[in-house]
Amino acid sequence: MIVKDTLPNGLTLVTEEVPAVRSVAVGVWLKRGSRHEEEAACGISHFIEHMVFKGTKTRSAERIAAEVDSIGGYMDAFTAKEYASFHLKVLDEHLPLAVEILGDIVLNPLFDPAEMAKEKKVIFEEMGMVEDTPDDLVMELFAEAFWPGHPLGRPILGTRKTVGRFRREDLSSYFSRVYHPGNILIAAAGHLEHGQVASLVSRHFSGLDGKPAPRGPRGRAPRVVTRTIARSKKELEQVHLCLGARSCPQAHPDRYAVYVLNTVLGGSMSSRLFQNVREKRGLVYSISSGVTAYSDAGLLSIYAGTGKDSLPEVIRLTLEEIRRLRGEELPAEELRRAKDHIKGGLVLSLESTGARMNHLARQELYFGRQFPLDEILGGIEAVSGGDVRRVAGEIFDGRVAASVLGNLRGWRPRDRDLQI
C-alpha cells in the first residue's frame, strides 16, 4: 500500500508497505539538481552530496560510517540533473536510526573547510575517472554540444575551476536556500508502517524552516543544436561514437512508444543494432541505445565502440536501422518481444526495496502521483507497431547529432553521412 503525506512544514513523505520483506529503504530526495545551478556554481549540488556525509554538529564522518556499518546497512548518494538523493537501506528494526542519521545530515551539516579541501581532491579524481572512461566522456561531449549554453549540457561534477573556488560559505548558503522542506521528498519502501515512518520523519525533520522557499534561477527548456563534435585522444585503441536526437520529456504521452522503440533499436541483446552490427558482422564489442528524459526535454542516444576503420560502416548500418524503423511497420513478433522485455525488467526490478523507493520518488518528482503498476504495464501494452513507426519518424526527422572520441588523426564523419 502506498501512502502520501505532507508535513506541516511542507515536506512530502511517500511510503510503500511491502510486508513480505525484512528491509526498508529510505531516502531524502531533493527536487533540485545540477540544472538548477548558476553557471559559476556548476558542480555545487554534487559537492554538497559528498560533504553531507563528512560530518554534522553531532556526528563525525567516521561515526556516520560506523553507525551504518554496525547495523549492516547500505548508504549511498547521487546527484542527477534534476534531483539529488541520499539514502539508506537497513533491516526494519533499524529504521529509527536510519531516519535519525538522515535528519542529522539535512539539519546539521558542518561543511568543515578541512574536509572540503580533502573532498575537492576526491572530486578531481572523479573527474579524472570520467576522462579515463571513454564511454562516459563521449556522452558528456555529446550533451555539451547538443544542449549548448544550457545547464543540461554541463557536467554534473562541475569543472576543476568551479569546484576549486568553492568555499564553506558558498556551500552553506546554497544548502540553506535549496534544502528547504518544500523542495524535499522523503520516500521509503519495505517492511514498514506509514504512521511510524511519519512520526520518525516529523521528529527528525520538523526543525526545517517551513517559510516559503527562496526563488532559484528560473528553468528554461534547452535549445537543441544538431552538430558533430570530434575530440582526438591518441591513447585510445577504439573510437567511441555517440549518435542522438531529440526525444520526449518524462511525462509525454508517447513515452511508452519511445521505450519500445529504444528496446527494438538497441536496448536489449535481441535488438536490431546488437544483432546486426555486433553479432552478424562483429564490428563492435559494445553497441546500445538509451533514453534520457527530463521534465522538459529528452534524448534518444546510441553508443558504439569500434575500430577507426570500421566506424563509417557502423554509422551506415546504424542509420540504416533507423530508416527501417521510420519506414516499415514493426513486425508483431518483434513488438511482442520488446513489450515483454520492458515489462519483465520493470517487474523484476521492483522486487528490491531500494528500487521501489527510487520508483516512488521519481513518480512523485515528475508526476506528482503514483502510477499503479498495472497502469504502467497497460501503457506499454497499448503501444502499436504504428506508434513505434510514428515516433521514430518524429525523433529521427533529419540529421542526427554526433560526438566522436578516439585516435582520429583529423578524421570526422561528414554531415551527409549523418543524414537520415
Side-chain angles (χ1 to χ4, degrees), residues 330-404:
L330 198 63
E333 181 183 352
E334 198 172 10
L335 177 63
R336 179 76 270 149
R337 187 168 64 242
K339 288 180 179 180
D340 289 344
H341 176 83
I342 297 168
K343 290 160 66 176
L346 173 62
V347 173
L348 289 174
S349 73
L350 294 179
E351 292 186 355
S352 156
T353 53
R356 282 183 177 267
M357 183 267 294
N358 279 294
H359 187 68
L360 285 176
R362 290 189 172 97
Q363 297 272 53
E364 183 63 31
L365 289 171
Y366 283 112
F367 298 95
R369 76 175 184 94
Q370 298 298 315
F371 287 79
L373 182 58
D374 286 346
E375 184 176 349
I376 299 172
L377 298 179
I380 296 165
E381 193 59 44
V383 175
S384 68
D387 292 329
V388 176
R389 180 180 178 183
R390 174 178 55 81
V391 297
E394 292 171 356
I395 291 172
F396 298 108
D397 62 349
R399 180 191 183 283
V400 295
S403 61
V404 189

Side-chain angles (χ1 to χ4, degrees), residues 69-80:
D69 285 347
S70 70
I71 57 175
Y74 172 76
M75 179 171 62
D76 201 7
F78 65 88
T79 302

Side-chain angles (χ1 to χ4, degrees), residues 82-331:
E82 295 192 311
Y83 50 83
S85 172
F86 37 94
H87 43 271
L88 287 164
K89 185 174 181 178
V90 296
L91 290 177
D92 50 9
E93 64 194 82
H94 299 307
L95 179 60
L97 178 58
V99 177
E100 179 188 333
I101 291 171
L102 291 173
D104 193 20
I105 284 169
V106 171
L107 268 72
N108 304 306
L110 276 183
F111 301 131
D112 178 74
E115 291 291 340
M116 283 182 63
K118 289 187 285 187
E119 208 59 28
K120 285 181 181 181
K121 296 178 183 178
V122 172
I123 293 172
F124 291 157
E125 291 299 323
E126 194 173 355
M127 292 175 183
M129 190 168 63
V130 172
E131 283 286 330
D132 289 341
T133 311
D135 50 339
D136 288 343
L137 181 57
V138 77
M139 289 298 295
E140 282 210 351
L141 295 172
F142 183 94
E144 184 180 8
F146 193 67
W147 289 309
H150 191 277
L152 288 180
R154 298 181 200 142
I156 292 172
L157 303 186
T159 66
R160 289 178 178 271
K161 182 178 180 181
T162 58
V163 172
R165 284 199 306 244
F166 291 147
R167 301 166 301 165
R168 184 190 185 281
E169 298 77 33
D170 300 320
L171 267 62
S172 180
S173 173
Y174 189 83
F175 189 89
S176 64
R177 290 199 315 272
V178 173
Y179 278 76
H180 181 280
N183 291 337
I184 292 177
L185 164 69
I186 294 181
H191 193 224
L192 56 81
E193 192 274 317
H194 179 81
Q196 179 205 15
V197 180
S199 176
L200 289 169
V201 170
S202 295
R203 183 189 314 162
H204 294 293
F205 288 84
S206 60
L208 284 172
D209 188 355
K211 296 177 183 177
R215 298 177 71 92
R218 185 176 180 180
R220 56 180 174 84
R223 174 181 61 92
V224 169
V225 175
T226 303
R227 57 173 171 159
T228 300
I229 292 294
R231 176 171 160 184
S232 189
K233 204 171 174 75
K234 294 180 180 180
E235 63 270 25
L236 293 179
E237 292 292 331
Q238 281 192 311
V239 174
H240 299 264
L241 168 73
C242 178
L243 303 174
R246 184 205 312 258
S247 184
C248 298
Q250 275 280 355
H252 197 282
D254 282 332
R255 62 187 181 277
Y256 297 118
V258 173
Y259 300 157
V260 174
L261 168 63
N262 174 65
T263 301
V264 171
L265 179 60
S268 67
M269 290 182 67
S270 63
S271 67
R272 294 184 177 189
L273 289 177
F274 193 89
Q275 288 297 316
N276 293 337
V277 181
R278 173 183 155 138
E279 297 296 277
K280 292 181 181 177
R281 293 174 174 84
L283 294 174
V284 299
Y285 174 74
S286 177
I287 186 166
S288 61
S289 65
V291 176
T292 305
Y294 301 112
S295 58
D296 55 3
L299 166 67
L300 197 157
S301 59
I302 298 154
Y303 164 79
T306 187
K308 182 181 173 183
D309 292 341
S310 300
L311 186 58
E313 181 71 355
V314 170
I315 293 174
R316 185 188 68 79
L317 291 168
T318 299
L319 297 187
E320 186 177 286
E321 295 300 338
I322 291 172
R323 293 186 192 106
R324 283 181 58 208
L325 286 167
R326 281 169 46 94
E328 302 172 6
E329 186 96 1
L330 198 63

